[in-house]
Amino acid sequence: MDRKLAAILAADVVGYSALMEQDEQGTFERVKAGRKGLFEPEIARHHGHIFKLMGDGLLAEFSSVMDAVECAVALQGGLAERNAAVPEDQRFQVRIGVNLGEVIVEGDDRFGEGVNIAARLEQIAEPGGIYVSGKVAKEVEKKLAFAFEAMGEQRVKNIAEPVPVYRVNLHGQPRRRLLKARRLRDRWLILARLAAVVAVALGAVLGIQGWWKSSGVAVDYASIAVLPFDNLGKDPKWDRIADGITEDIITDLSQSDHVLVIARHSTDVYKGKAVDVRQVGADLGVRYVLTGGLQANGDRVRITAQLVDAATGADLWSERYDRSGEDIFAVQSDVTAKIANTLGSQVGVIRKSQLKLAQHKPPNSLTAYDTLLMADQMAFTPVGGITKDGLIEAEKLFHKAIDLDPQMARAYVGLAYVYSYMFGYGFAVSPEQALSKQLEAARKAVELDPNSNKAHGALGQALAWNGEGAQALVEFDKAESLAPNDADTLALIAMNINQEDTARAVRLSERAILLNPYYPNWYNISLYWSYFFSEQFDKSLKYVTLYQNPSLNEISFTAMLYGYLNQPNEAKKVAEEVLKQDPGWTAEKFVTKWSIAPGHNSELVAEGARKAGLRACATAAELKGNPNMIHMKSCDAERAKAASG
């Protein structure tokens, strides 16, 4: 008796007996046609096979759990399309269950708990729905385009232990918007219309407006197909590595919430073929195509990658990575993450290309995504540096993007950072109001897209800056778990935890620049803060001086760092600039602004100020004038001496 691990899909027709009673021959023919015209082809296309047919359902086996879930989604989408094209009395619905477990193999049949749980999940699923086990959700939730809604542990017939059950949320905003081929996209549009009609008819609030409406957004966003990387050598063992690189790049790129990535099974058809990328773009409905290959030579391996504009055939970016092949899996992880971050980060190649396209459009034809791109550029990567006017204009543009698409979570993320910059750079008329708006925008972003690492990162920062440190760490952990290879997310977390957990902050900062060597200016903040509080002053100075268009914050740190590194002349020169910008600067004032808690870290700032020739301690009058100012014990004696003198 053979056993193996398999993904099992169970599907049956809802109310089959009643349908047969009403119209036996018609129901039989319609169900048979649906099986032949939709279910069998889709299951085969997703590399599965049907091992059991019943009058009202079927059981299918897949070697890949990702294929099983994607197939289930495609089946429900395809059935909705077919239903939309026939009279209501000729429609039927199915429910689907998917489980991952061990099965007993007996000829062409499959038995065991792996099959039984899939069948039980199908029985408790709602019409038109897909229920999966906890094992399935755990395996695929970070790799597929659909949110998984926890339904709790369910007791099902003939299964001793409760089964953790998750519903595939076809109507929520996806965590990663993986594009399919154009025909699949059309299918979803039809499903959207049907779902909207059902929602209105039932008076239900399904929360589908944003994503289904954004089938428009999906086309609007940057879309990319990653073609299978070629093994350019003769050794077949490198085929597996080439496939792994392709898979990893797709997964890592999918973490970027403004890049839509074609699922791998839609690009596998091009493996080993000479293709015209413009035709690939037309076939799959994408703007960009990434190609690449690897070639081993002795103990070295060369990996190449090239990004092409599918509309024009123009090369946008190419890179070559030469590495030792001794630990190829480490090389694979390193190179794929770098490629993904170079292409998909905040200042990545794709983002810049999309911004150029938007800037050449007439103002009245700008989409929500175009507007978002220009707001991002205006706020966070302006040519002349961050300014108050630029942030105000960016705020207007983010609001315009929201007007065009009220469900665009990324625009609320942008707003949250605009308010944080207004506060951080001292541009806000009311700092308290800026922090309040930051928190409000970040909460809205998470509400709209609870599976976005960017939204959770923005909320983490907003909570931290609003004094809710413990909850902030929860959000940061969620953001990192959703996107462990997203350099922007890692740098953001590091920037906000460098006082509480300096070791983690340093580790995340260093990994961020490893993943994204062409990192944006703001990464330097996380680097110099993290190194400062870990007392690696030479490294901190390196990154604070790399920061472009420094504000008073960077200048203050620079003065303190020169003090710590025993460079008094440089420290004095920079300290003079600090006092020129803020004659009343003190370390206590500085730690208050940045909520640096009294203790080791605040004393580190105070000692740096003294070494730079700056005032560490506020006067008694200054403290009285600002009762919220954080004061340091090391300043008590100084104030007492001043009072007695």
Side-chain angles (χ1 to χ4, degrees):
M1 184 171 60
D2 294 330
R3 294 176 180 269
K4 69 175 182 177
L5 187 69
I8 303 296
L9 181 152
D12 82 336
V13 177
V14 178
Y16 182 73
S17 297
L19 291 170
M20 288 289 284
E21 186 177 346
Q22 294 169 13
D23 179 8
E24 183 177 85
Q25 186 62 33
T27 297
F28 177 79
E29 293 296 337
R30 286 191 294 275
V31 171
K32 180 180 178 181
R35 187 177 74 240
K36 292 292 185 182
L38 172 64
F39 279 68
E40 290 180 3
E42 280 293 352
I43 289 169
R45 194 171 70 82
H46 287 84
H47 315 296
H49 74 276
I50 297 170
F51 63 85
K52 184 173 289 185
L53 283 173
M54 294 81 76
D56 63 342
L58 57 84
L59 292 168
E61 178 189 33
F62 299 79
S63 58
S64 162
V65 69
M66 289 175 61
D67 282 339
V69 176
E70 285 195 314
C71 181
V73 172
L75 290 173
Q76 293 291 23
L79 186 58
E81 178 182 348
R82 295 170 73 93
N83 281 340
V86 300
E88 188 172 349
D89 62 352
Q90 296 182 21
R91 299 173 184 174
F92 65 88
Q93 289 184 298
V94 301
R95 52 194 175 193
I96 297 176
V98 181
N99 181 46
L100 175 66
E102 191 174 76
V103 299
I104 299 170
V105 179
E106 187 172 300
D108 293 331
D109 212 344
R110 303 290 183 266
F111 301 93
E113 194 168 271
V115 177
N116 295 341
I117 290 177
R120 300 294 180 256
L121 291 171
E122 163 253 293
Q123 290 169 3
I124 64 175
E126 73 271 15
I130 303 167
Y131 277 19
V132 305
S133 65
K135 290 181 181 178
V136 172
K138 183 178 180 181
E139 283 291 320
V140 305
E141 66 172 346
K142 295 180 181 179
K143 302 174 183 176
L144 294 182
F146 309 99
F148 292 82
E149 181 181 348
M151 306 299 291
E153 293 190 338
Q154 306 280 335
R155 289 200 171 274
V156 296
K157 185 178 178 181
N158 296 332
I159 303 298
E161 296 296 324
V163 178
V165 177
Y166 291 78
R167 176 168 57 195
V168 179
N169 187 353
L170 300 175
H171 307 311
Q173 189 173 26
R175 189 179 67 82
R176 296 192 182 109
R177 307 172 179 87
L178 291 130
L179 277 182
K180 306 286 185 185
R182 184 170 289 155
R183 67 182 187 83
L184 256 184
R185 184 193 299 154
D186 293 340
R187 235 182 235 176
W188 285 119
L189 288 169
I190 293 170
L191 176 58
R193 298 186 188 107
L194 177 63
V197 170
V198 173
V200 172
L202 297 176
V205 181
L206 298 180
I208 63 174
Q209 288 180 340
W211 191 53
W212 294 125
K213 175 172 67 62
S214 69
S215 292
V217 173
V219 178
D220 186 18
Y221 273 46
S223 51
I224 184 172
V226 181
L227 298 189
F229 271 47
D230 294 322
N231 172 16
L232 302 175
K234 296 181 180 179
D235 190 339
K237 77 175 184 180
W238 293 97
D239 288 341
R240 186 178 72 256
I241 302 302
D243 289 343
I245 288 172
T246 307
E247 182 71 37
D248 284 356
I249 292 174
I250 289 172
T251 300
D252 288 350
L253 263 179
S254 297
Q255 293 177 357
S256 177
D257 63 357
H258 55 267
V259 179
L260 302 168
V261 188
I262 290 287
R264 183 180 169 186
H265 66 71
S266 294
T267 57
D268 268 348
V269 296
Y270 300 102
K271 185 172 182 178
K273 297 178 181 178
V275 297
D276 181 340
V277 293
R278 289 172 293 187
Q279 187 60 49
V280 172
D283 291 344
L284 300 180
V286 294
R287 176 77 196 203
Y288 304 98
V289 174
L290 182 73
T291 63
L294 64 87
Q295 186 165 18
N297 183 11
D299 63 349
R300 305 290 296 177
V301 61
R302 171 171 291 177
I303 300 171
T304 58
Q306 182 178 36
L307 185 71
V308 180
D309 186 324
T312 64
D315 293 343
L316 299 176
W317 168 87
S318 62
E319 190 65 86
R320 183 177 69 195
Y321 305 87
D322 289 305
R323 296 288 191 277
S324 168
E326 292 178 359
D327 187 354
I328 186 57
F329 294 107
V331 172
Q332 176 181 327
S333 176
D334 171 41
V335 171
T336 56
K338 283 183 177 178
I339 292 172
N341 280 280
T342 299
L343 299 183
S345 71
Q346 184 187 34
V347 294
V349 176
I350 293 175
R351 189 89 164 198
K352 290 178 179 177
S353 175
Q354 290 294 107
L355 179 59
K356 286 181 180 179
L357 292 173
Q359 289 170 335
H360 286 88
K361 286 186 178 182
N364 60 0
S365 69
L366 291 176
T367 65
Y369 181 58
D370 294 331
T371 309
L372 172 76
L373 287 175
M374 291 196 291
D376 264 354
Q377 195 273 335
M378 180 71 70
F380 312 127
T381 56
V383 176
I386 293 169
T387 65
K388 182 177 181 179
D389 289 343
L391 290 171
I392 291 172
E393 183 61 28
E395 181 184 14
K396 293 177 183 176
L397 288 170
F398 281 125
H399 278 297
K400 181 180 177 183
I402 291 167
D403 288 341
L404 291 168
D405 180 5
Q407 305 299 313
M408 183 177 270
R410 188 67 184 85
Y412 284 100
V413 171
L415 274 179
Y417 289 132
V418 163
Y419 298 131
S420 72
Y421 274 54
M422 292 291 281
F423 171 82
Y425 278 83
F427 297 149
V429 176
S430 168
E432 294 77 13
Q433 187 180 48
L435 291 178
S436 176
K437 285 184 174 182
Q438 176 195 14
L439 186 57
E440 180 184 357
R443 289 193 191 281
K444 183 66 176 178
V446 170
E447 177 189 327
L448 289 173
D449 192 354
N451 293 304
S452 164
N453 59 292
K454 297 289 195 301
H456 284 285
L459 181 55
Q461 177 166 293
L463 288 165
W465 289 24
N466 278 271
E468 300 181 40
Q471 190 57 40
L473 287 175
V474 173
E475 295 298 324
F476 288 139
D477 288 345
K478 179 70 172 177
E480 186 178 0
S481 69
L482 286 169
N485 287 325
D486 182 75
D488 289 350
T489 295
L490 303 185
L492 172 76
I493 296 170
M495 185 166 61
N496 286 279
I497 66 167
N498 48 58
Q499 297 176 51
E500 293 81 7
D501 191 344
T502 55
R504 181 186 178 193
V506 167
R507 174 172 53 81
L508 292 181
S509 295
E510 291 176 342
R511 179 158 172 75
I513 61 172
L514 178 69
L515 293 172
N516 189 9
Y518 307 105
Y519 63 86
N521 188 38
W522 66 267
Y523 278 32
N524 290 305
I525 300 175
S526 68
L527 287 156
Y528 77 72
W529 275 74
S530 300
Y531 284 129
F532 181 87
F533 289 113
S534 64
E535 300 184 44
Q536 299 181 62
F537 301 123
D538 54 341
K539 292 183 179 179
S540 182
L541 181 64
K542 172 185 174 180
Y543 288 104
V544 77
T545 52
L546 283 175
Y547 189 86
Q548 300 166 15
N549 305 112
S551 69
L552 179 59
N553 303 321
E554 284 74 43
I555 298 169
S556 302
F557 267 109
T558 304
M560 291 185 282
L561 288 164
Y562 278 130
Y564 271 117
L565 293 170
N566 197 27
Q567 298 183 44
N569 293 334
E570 294 295 333
K572 180 181 178 181
K573 187 188 305 180
V574 180
E576 288 173 354
E577 180 60 28
V578 171
L579 297 176
K580 181 179 177 181
Q581 293 197 27
D582 181 6
W585 192 98
T586 66
E588 284 182 319
K589 183 177 175 181
F590 186 83
V591 300
T592 299
K593 176 179 179 178
W594 293 107
S595 301
I596 300 172
H600 176 74
N601 286 341
S602 61
E603 292 296 344
L604 205 61
V605 173
E607 184 61 22
R610 293 187 184 100
K611 289 179 178 293
L614 291 164
R615 277 202 299 151
C617 309
T619 65
E622 287 170 330
L623 272 181
K624 187 176 180 181
N626 183 358
N628 295 320
M629 188 180 293
I630 296 172
H631 82 272
M632 291 164 282
K633 290 184 178 180
S634 63
C635 289
D636 290 341
E638 183 177 321
R639 275 188 287 269
K641 181 178 179 181
S644 64

